Amino acid sequence: MKSESKRFSRWAKAVQSRPESSSVIELGLYLWQEYLLNRPERFIILYAGRQSGKTEVMIKKVILDLLKHKNRGKAWITARTYRQAKEVLWDRIQWALNEFPEGVVVGKNDAELKIDLIGDKSLYLKGLDKIEPDDVRGSNLLVLGMTEAAFCSGQHWEKILTPMLGRNMAKVFIESSPNGMNWMYYLARKGGHPGIDGKVIEAELDPDYFFARVPTPGAGPITDEEVERWRQEMDPDTYRQEVLAEVLTYAGLLVPEFYARTHAEGGNILPVDEWEKIKKEQGGNLLYVRGLDWGIAAHTVCLWAAVDPVGRVIVYREFAATGRSVRDLAFEIKQRSHEEIIMTPADPNLWKREGFDMNMISQHFGSYGVPLVKSDNDFDPSIVKFRQMCQAENIQNDPLSPMPRFMIVQGAAPMLSNQLKRTEAQYPDRKGSAITGKQPMDAIDAARYILMKNVRGVRMVKEEDPNRPWTPPPPRWGKEHFRGGSRYGKIHGLPVG
């Protein structure tokens, strides 16, 4: 894989040094486009700069792979929105087909954005904003192409497109300008992307994936003078992302500073042996807490975390369930709580009266032995806090510096790790609740409740005694509820005085 990446680099350098001879006759391709067109891997992941020709090569690759496929069927080319698909891509697909031999196209439907090709094959242009998972259930593709994929939701890739690829082992070409460490970034890592730290992780490589990066300078279509004008007019980060096709750390994801690597590699994962060492050395200096996000249709997630003397939060256990009663959830949480828990911060919405007997959910948890304390659910400040704590930091008299102040013990909280790696910044509900049908944030919310109880000091303080016996709330019914007479009370047998 490394040798192939080096080979691609040599091709790219050849384009930059000999732009006058970089085009070829067949299909009007530049040298780097021809190279990608002939790649044998099933998944091609391309980061390329603005106006570099990335969409053109994707379209032609999809058409060629569709025509060469032995089965009859269909291919999709997708854009983020239907409007973008119709106004930008539809004409470009037809222009690309004009370069193919006459007779390849046998029909066209402008209303459906569909082109029929020889061999009982069809090419569809789709806007992902108009597609729901149930709309394409049971559908299969021969080939898939995605334009500006990094600006599409990862939920489209996971819930809509991925299930359509398996039956025919569909070939996939994904191209985009970078948009931070989002879902496309992790696909690129499988193909050999060196990552933010410049390191290719051998364990992540997949032989079915190939990654390429093509900056606009030297790619072919845009002159050096125009590129220089862009450099002068754009801010440095925009230029690096949009023109040089570099992935910037602080973009795309909700918490982009979270890095699913060990802290020795600059990440937020704590190896198990180091966690055991910290427990042994710090002993009574650690405070143990839980964070709870309760859900009805969504997951209920409970996280266990240790807080050290400098306020570092180490998540070491996770529990998630759906469709369980408060009693069952409380039992499971108590069964897993082997340490002395000083508090369980939770969503303040649990202090609303939502129980079946009109008591608050928080009171039900307390009655079953899991007393809760109300946390702050202000979304933006909590995410700012989250992002700050995920960064490496040198703290005076801290033996663990520069370890970040938010860590997850390796393998201890898979749901939280997965959500932090995938949740995109443009989708969460700013009120902090998870969004049904979009991106689940249950585990992230549970972690936020822990972090927001630690805002005003370096250590958490004991705000509620978990051993305090629960006392039921005062009865709801009394004469103050029956103004203007007692007829309602007499009918129902209620005491009205």
Side-chain angles (χ1 to χ4, degrees):
M1 184 68 64
K2 284 185 177 179
S3 61
E4 292 295 344
S5 298
K6 291 179 180 178
R7 182 183 173 195
F8 178 79
S9 298
R10 290 197 294 271
W11 280 97
K13 289 179 180 178
V15 173
Q16 294 180 16
S17 61
R18 297 184 291 106
E20 70 280 358
S21 61
S22 61
S23 60
V24 293
I25 296 175
E26 295 183 3
L27 295 180
L29 296 170
Y30 289 94
L31 191 60
W32 68 268
Q33 292 175 322
E34 181 186 11
Y35 176 77
L36 289 181
L37 215 62
N38 293 311
R39 290 301 312 175
E41 288 83 5
R42 184 180 169 201
F43 296 89
I44 305 295
I45 313 297
L46 172 63
Y47 278 143
R50 182 182 297 181
Q51 300 296 321
S52 59
K54 59 184 182 295
T55 303
E56 177 188 12
V57 68
M58 179 272 293
I59 292 172
K60 293 177 179 178
K61 174 75 170 171
V62 168
I63 295 171
L64 281 174
D65 287 342
L66 179 60
L67 292 173
K68 290 189 296 183
H69 205 287
K70 62 182 180 180
N71 297 336
R72 68 180 69 181
K74 61 186 178 183
W76 276 14
I77 291 177
T78 68
R80 187 170 63 89
T81 66
Y82 176 81
R83 182 174 180 178
Q84 180 187 15
K86 187 164 187 177
E87 295 184 2
V88 179
L89 289 182
W90 183 235
D91 288 338
R92 299 181 70 173
I93 292 174
Q94 296 178 78
W95 296 338
L97 282 166
N98 289 337
E99 299 183 36
F100 284 79
E102 188 175 353
V104 167
V105 178
V106 297
K108 184 178 70 169
N109 188 321
D110 290 301
E112 295 184 8
L113 302 184
K114 172 189 174 185
I115 297 176
D116 296 317
L117 306 179
I118 57 174
D120 288 333
K121 295 170 182 176
S122 299
L123 175 63
Y124 289 83
L125 181 57
K126 297 288 185 177
L128 292 175
D129 61 329
K130 299 295 185 181
I131 304 174
E132 296 294 335
D134 290 341
D135 296 341
V136 294
R137 192 177 296 275
S139 185
N140 297 283
L141 297 176
L142 302 180
V143 189
L144 171 67
M146 298 183 70
T147 185
E148 296 298 350
F151 298 89
C152 301
S153 168
Q155 298 296 298
H156 293 140
W157 169 253
E158 293 180 8
K159 294 186 176 181
I160 296 175
L161 300 176
T162 298
M164 303 174 69
L165 306 177
R167 180 174 179 179
N168 295 305
M169 297 296 288
K171 286 203 165 186
V172 178
F173 194 119
I174 299 176
E175 57 87 356
S176 182
S177 302
N179 187 28
M181 296 168 60
N182 60 4
W183 68 274
M184 183 178 172
Y185 169 81
Y186 286 97
L187 295 185
R189 293 285 282 179
K190 293 183 179 182
H193 188 289
I196 299 297
D197 55 4
K199 298 177 182 178
V200 175
I201 309 298
E202 295 288 342
E204 291 184 344
L205 298 181
D206 187 326
D208 285 337
Y209 285 75
F210 180 78
F211 166 74
R213 170 178 164 257
V214 179
T216 301
I222 304 300
T223 65
D224 293 341
E225 292 77 11
E226 184 68 8
V227 171
E228 177 60 22
R229 186 179 67 82
W230 287 348
R231 187 188 68 80
Q232 294 176 2
E233 294 180 356
M234 295 179 180
D235 67 81
D237 284 350
T238 302
Y239 179 79
R240 288 173 58 194
Q241 175 174 287
E242 296 291 333
V243 181
L244 300 184
E246 295 180 7
V247 176
L248 304 183
T249 305
Y250 302 108
L253 295 181
L254 184 65
V255 187
E257 291 80 2
F258 176 81
Y259 189 34
R261 296 287 176 272
T262 65
H263 72 91
E265 301 172 294
N268 299 90
I269 301 301
L270 183 66
V272 176
D273 57 340
E274 293 190 34
W275 165 234
E276 294 297 331
K277 183 180 177 181
I278 290 173
K279 288 196 294 183
K280 184 177 180 180
E281 292 179 351
Q282 303 217 13
N285 291 325
L286 295 176
L287 300 176
Y288 293 95
V289 299
R290 296 178 298 227
L292 180 70
D293 183 66
W294 178 74
I296 302 177
H299 279 93
T300 293
V301 178
C302 184
L303 300 176
W304 285 255
V307 185
D308 72 4
V310 299
R312 181 176 288 106
V313 175
I314 303 174
V315 177
Y316 63 89
R317 190 178 297 137
E318 177 185 86
F319 167 70
T322 55
R324 305 281 290 274
S325 68
V326 171
R327 180 179 179 178
D328 288 345
L329 292 170
F331 176 79
E332 295 286 355
I333 291 171
K334 288 191 296 181
Q335 286 290 99
R336 289 167 169 78
S337 299
H338 312 306
E339 305 81 11
E340 181 184 356
I341 304 297
I342 67 164
M343 70 166 70
T344 305
D347 183 353
N349 288 323
L350 299 189
W351 275 257
K352 297 179 179 178
R353 297 188 181 277
E354 295 179 352
F356 65 92
D357 58 356
M358 299 305 292
N359 288 325
M360 295 176 286
I361 297 298
S362 60
Q363 292 176 340
H364 286 294
F365 273 103
S367 68
Y368 295 122
V370 182
L372 307 179
V373 296
K374 190 181 298 186
S375 185
D376 188 351
N377 198 18
D378 197 345
F379 186 84
D380 289 328
S382 68
I383 295 302
V384 170
K385 181 73 175 177
F386 217 138
R387 295 182 62 173
Q388 291 172 347
M389 295 186 69
C390 283
Q391 299 180 60
E393 187 175 356
N394 287 307
I395 302 175
Q396 190 175 5
N397 300 324
D398 177 21
L400 300 179
S401 287
M403 183 188 293
R405 289 194 297 131
F406 180 83
M407 301 293 293
I408 300 176
V409 176
Q410 196 164 27
M415 177 179 286
L416 176 60
S417 297
N418 190 53
Q419 289 184 8
L420 285 170
K421 287 192 298 184
R422 295 173 181 270
T423 303
E424 298 163 29
Q426 64 265 39
Y427 283 94
D429 180 350
R430 291 305 178 191
K431 295 180 181 178
S433 56
I435 305 176
T436 304
K438 291 196 175 180
Q439 296 186 119
M441 287 183 56
D442 324 271
I444 293 178
D445 285 341
R448 288 194 305 111
Y449 302 144
I450 294 175
L451 299 186
M452 292 303 281
K453 293 302 289 185
N454 192 27
V455 171
R456 291 186 172 86
V458 295
R459 287 180 64 128
M460 295 189 181
V461 295
K462 191 170 183 178
E463 297 194 3
E464 182 171 319
D465 184 2
N467 298 315
R468 176 179 60 82
W470 178 76
T471 56
R476 284 180 57 84
W477 305 111
K479 62 174 62 178
E480 69 272 12
H481 296 283
F482 303 99
R483 299 176 183 174
S486 60
R487 180 174 178 273
Y488 184 89
K490 289 181 179 178
I491 290 176
H492 292 273
L494 297 175
V496 295

